[in-house]
mmCIF file of all heavy atoms in Angstrom:
data_model
loop_
_atom_site.group_PDB
_atom_site.id
_atom_site.type_symbol
_atom_site.label_atom_id
_atom_site.label_comp_id
_atom_site.label_asym_id
_atom_site.label_seq_id
_atom_site.Cartn_x
_atom_site.Cartn_y
_atom_site.Cartn_z
ATOM 1 N N LEU A 271 2.512 -4.433 6.757
ATOM 2 C CA LEU A 271 3.088 -4.357 8.096
ATOM 3 C C LEU A 271 3.809 -3.051 8.288
ATOM 4 O O LEU A 271 4.021 -2.564 9.394
ATOM 5 C CB LEU A 271 3.991 -5.556 8.354
ATOM 6 C CG LEU A 271 3.287 -6.861 8.488
ATOM 7 C CD1 LEU A 271 4.308 -8.007 8.638
ATOM 8 C CD2 LEU A 271 2.324 -6.837 9.600
ATOM 9 N N ILE A 272 4.289 -2.404 7.161
ATOM 10 C CA ILE A 272 4.876 -1.075 7.291
ATOM 11 C C ILE A 272 3.778 -0.124 7.764
ATOM 12 O O ILE A 272 3.951 0.695 8.691
ATOM 13 C CB ILE A 272 5.521 -0.623 5.986
ATOM 14 C CG1 ILE A 272 6.641 -1.592 5.614
ATOM 15 C CG2 ILE A 272 6.011 0.807 6.074
ATOM 16 C CD1 ILE A 272 7.318 -1.303 4.274
ATOM 17 N N MET A 273 2.638 -0.214 7.097
ATOM 18 C CA MET A 273 1.452 0.616 7.508
ATOM 19 C C MET A 273 1.103 0.356 8.989
ATOM 20 O O MET A 273 1.002 1.281 9.777
ATOM 21 C CB MET A 273 0.310 0.275 6.588
ATOM 22 C CG MET A 273 -0.982 1.000 6.913
ATOM 23 S SD MET A 273 -1.969 0.188 8.205
ATOM 24 C CE MET A 273 -2.711 -1.154 7.256
ATOM 25 N N ARG A 274 1.019 -0.899 9.348
ATOM 26 C CA ARG A 274 0.569 -1.267 10.690
ATOM 27 C C ARG A 274 1.554 -0.789 11.793
ATOM 28 O O ARG A 274 1.182 -0.353 12.874
ATOM 29 C CB ARG A 274 0.315 -2.745 10.798
ATOM 30 C CG ARG A 274 -0.295 -3.201 12.154
ATOM 31 C CD ARG A 274 -1.694 -2.605 12.406
ATOM 32 N NE ARG A 274 -2.223 -2.967 13.681
ATOM 33 C CZ ARG A 274 -2.025 -2.273 14.807
ATOM 34 N NH1 ARG A 274 -1.271 -1.176 14.833
ATOM 35 N NH2 ARG A 274 -2.599 -2.640 15.964
ATOM 36 N N GLY A 275 2.830 -0.949 11.437
ATOM 37 C CA GLY A 275 3.914 -0.553 12.366
ATOM 38 C C GLY A 275 3.908 0.944 12.685
ATOM 39 O O GLY A 275 4.354 1.365 13.710
ATOM 40 N N ALA A 276 3.343 1.733 11.739
ATOM 41 C CA ALA A 276 3.293 3.183 11.927
ATOM 42 C C ALA A 276 2.125 3.620 12.831
ATOM 43 O O ALA A 276 2.021 4.814 13.169
ATOM 44 C CB ALA A 276 3.173 3.889 10.559
ATOM 45 N N LEU A 277 1.239 2.676 13.187
ATOM 46 C CA LEU A 277 0.047 3.019 13.998
ATOM 47 C C LEU A 277 0.218 2.637 15.461
ATOM 48 O O LEU A 277 1.222 1.940 15.822
ATOM 49 C CB LEU A 277 -1.169 2.292 13.407
ATOM 50 C CG LEU A 277 -1.476 2.519 11.910
ATOM 51 C CD1 LEU A 277 -2.719 1.746 11.527
ATOM 52 C CD2 LEU A 277 -1.567 3.956 11.553
ATOM 53 N N ASN A 278 -0.693 3.059 16.256
ATOM 54 C CA ASN A 278 -0.707 2.699 17.685
ATOM 55 C C ASN A 278 -0.817 1.159 17.875
ATOM 56 O O ASN A 278 -1.304 0.465 16.975
ATOM 57 C CB ASN A 278 -1.934 3.304 18.375
ATOM 58 C CG ASN A 278 -1.907 4.839 18.316
ATOM 59 O OD1 ASN A 278 -0.830 5.428 18.228
ATOM 60 N ND2 ASN A 278 -3.113 5.425 18.323
ATOM 61 N N ASP A 279 -0.454 0.751 19.058
ATOM 62 C CA ASP A 279 -0.646 -0.729 19.368
ATOM 63 C C ASP A 279 -2.129 -1.061 19.212
ATOM 64 O O ASP A 279 -2.500 -2.092 18.667
ATOM 65 C CB ASP A 279 -0.196 -1.030 20.801
ATOM 66 C CG ASP A 279 1.342 -0.994 20.881
ATOM 67 O OD1 ASP A 279 2.003 -0.943 19.799
ATOM 68 O OD2 ASP A 279 1.869 -0.961 22.021
ATOM 69 N N HIS A 280 -2.999 -0.163 19.725
ATOM 70 C CA HIS A 280 -4.420 -0.401 19.682
ATOM 71 C C HIS A 280 -5.007 0.476 18.571
ATOM 72 O O HIS A 280 -4.866 1.719 18.593
ATOM 73 C CB HIS A 280 -5.121 -0.073 21.019
ATOM 74 C CG HIS A 280 -6.530 -0.385 20.986
ATOM 75 N ND1 HIS A 280 -7.064 -1.634 21.062
ATOM 76 C CD2 HIS A 280 -7.598 0.525 20.854
ATOM 77 C CE1 HIS A 280 -8.392 -1.544 20.937
ATOM 78 N NE2 HIS A 280 -8.741 -0.245 20.809
ATOM 79 N N VAL A 281 -5.626 -0.211 17.602
ATOM 80 C CA VAL A 281 -6.339 0.570 16.541
ATOM 81 C C VAL A 281 -7.766 0.061 16.411
ATOM 82 O O VAL A 281 -8.092 -1.023 16.901
ATOM 83 C CB VAL A 281 -5.658 0.372 15.151
ATOM 84 C CG1 VAL A 281 -4.257 1.025 15.141
ATOM 85 C CG2 VAL A 281 -5.528 -1.108 14.792
ATOM 86 N N THR A 282 -8.617 0.918 15.795
ATOM 87 C CA THR A 282 -10.021 0.530 15.641
ATOM 88 C C THR A 282 -10.305 0.325 14.162
ATOM 89 O O THR A 282 -10.147 1.228 13.363
ATOM 90 C CB THR A 282 -10.957 1.625 16.152
ATOM 91 O OG1 THR A 282 -10.469 2.063 17.446
ATOM 92 C CG2 THR A 282 -12.391 1.161 16.204
ATOM 93 N N PRO A 283 -10.707 -0.887 13.796
ATOM 94 C CA PRO A 283 -11.040 -1.144 12.378
ATOM 95 C C PRO A 283 -12.380 -0.404 12.061
ATOM 96 O O PRO A 283 -13.350 -0.569 12.773
ATOM 97 C CB PRO A 283 -11.208 -2.643 12.236
ATOM 98 C CG PRO A 283 -11.311 -3.182 13.626
ATOM 99 C CD PRO A 283 -10.787 -2.149 14.563
ATOM 100 N N LEU A 284 -12.400 0.381 11.004
ATOM 101 C CA LEU A 284 -13.565 1.137 10.624
ATOM 102 C C LEU A 284 -14.301 0.455 9.490
ATOM 103 O O LEU A 284 -15.505 0.585 9.348
ATOM 104 C CB LEU A 284 -13.225 2.539 10.179
ATOM 105 C CG LEU A 284 -12.521 3.455 11.230
ATOM 106 C CD1 LEU A 284 -12.157 4.786 10.652
ATOM 107 C CD2 LEU A 284 -13.444 3.644 12.446
ATOM 108 N N ARG A 285 -13.541 -0.285 8.701
ATOM 109 C CA ARG A 285 -14.089 -0.960 7.516
ATOM 110 C C ARG A 285 -13.222 -2.101 7.115
ATOM 111 O O ARG A 285 -11.969 -1.989 7.166
ATOM 112 C CB ARG A 285 -14.123 0.126 6.399
ATOM 113 C CG ARG A 285 -14.458 -0.439 4.986
ATOM 114 C CD ARG A 285 -15.912 -0.583 4.775
ATOM 115 N NE ARG A 285 -16.203 -1.281 3.519
ATOM 116 C CZ ARG A 285 -17.237 -2.151 3.285
ATOM 117 N NH1 ARG A 285 -18.018 -2.378 4.295
ATOM 118 N NH2 ARG A 285 -17.389 -2.684 2.155
ATOM 119 N N ARG A 286 -13.847 -3.194 6.726
ATOM 120 C CA ARG A 286 -13.100 -4.363 6.315
ATOM 121 C C ARG A 286 -13.846 -4.995 5.160
ATOM 122 O O ARG A 286 -15.083 -5.127 5.214
ATOM 123 C CB ARG A 286 -12.980 -5.324 7.456
ATOM 124 C CG ARG A 286 -12.340 -6.637 7.133
ATOM 125 C CD ARG A 286 -12.040 -7.423 8.457
ATOM 126 N NE ARG A 286 -11.843 -8.808 8.136
ATOM 127 C CZ ARG A 286 -11.278 -9.712 9.028
ATOM 128 N NH1 ARG A 286 -10.900 -9.285 10.209
ATOM 129 N NH2 ARG A 286 -11.107 -10.945 8.683
ATOM 130 N N PHE A 287 -13.130 -5.407 4.129
ATOM 131 C CA PHE A 287 -13.752 -5.960 2.909
ATOM 132 C C PHE A 287 -12.846 -6.992 2.306
ATOM 133 O O PHE A 287 -11.611 -6.815 2.296
ATOM 134 C CB PHE A 287 -13.968 -4.781 1.940
ATOM 135 C CG PHE A 287 -14.467 -5.212 0.591
ATOM 136 C CD1 PHE A 287 -15.750 -5.772 0.436
ATOM 137 C CD2 PHE A 287 -13.670 -5.059 -0.532
ATOM 138 C CE1 PHE A 287 -16.178 -6.164 -0.827
ATOM 139 C CE2 PHE A 287 -14.143 -5.455 -1.819
ATOM 140 C CZ PHE A 287 -15.380 -6.014 -1.915
ATOM 141 N N TYR A 288 -13.471 -8.129 1.874
ATOM 142 C CA TYR A 288 -12.704 -9.176 1.270
ATOM 143 C C TYR A 288 -13.529 -9.772 0.127
ATOM 144 O O TYR A 288 -14.729 -10.005 0.316
ATOM 145 C CB TYR A 288 -12.382 -10.276 2.268
ATOM 146 C CG TYR A 288 -11.509 -11.361 1.741
ATOM 147 C CD1 TYR A 288 -10.139 -11.166 1.538
ATOM 148 C CD2 TYR A 288 -12.011 -12.628 1.422
ATOM 149 C CE1 TYR A 288 -9.343 -12.163 1.069
ATOM 150 C CE2 TYR A 288 -11.195 -13.644 0.931
ATOM 151 C CZ TYR A 288 -9.819 -13.387 0.768
ATOM 152 O OH TYR A 288 -9.050 -14.401 0.260
#
Side-chain angles (χ1 to χ4, degrees):
L271 292 176
I272 298 177
M273 177 277 282
R274 184 64 182 90
L277 306 181
N278 299 333
D279 289 347
H280 181 77
V281 291
T282 310
L284 299 176
R285 169 82 187 146
R286 172 171 164 164
F287 173 66
Y288 185 75

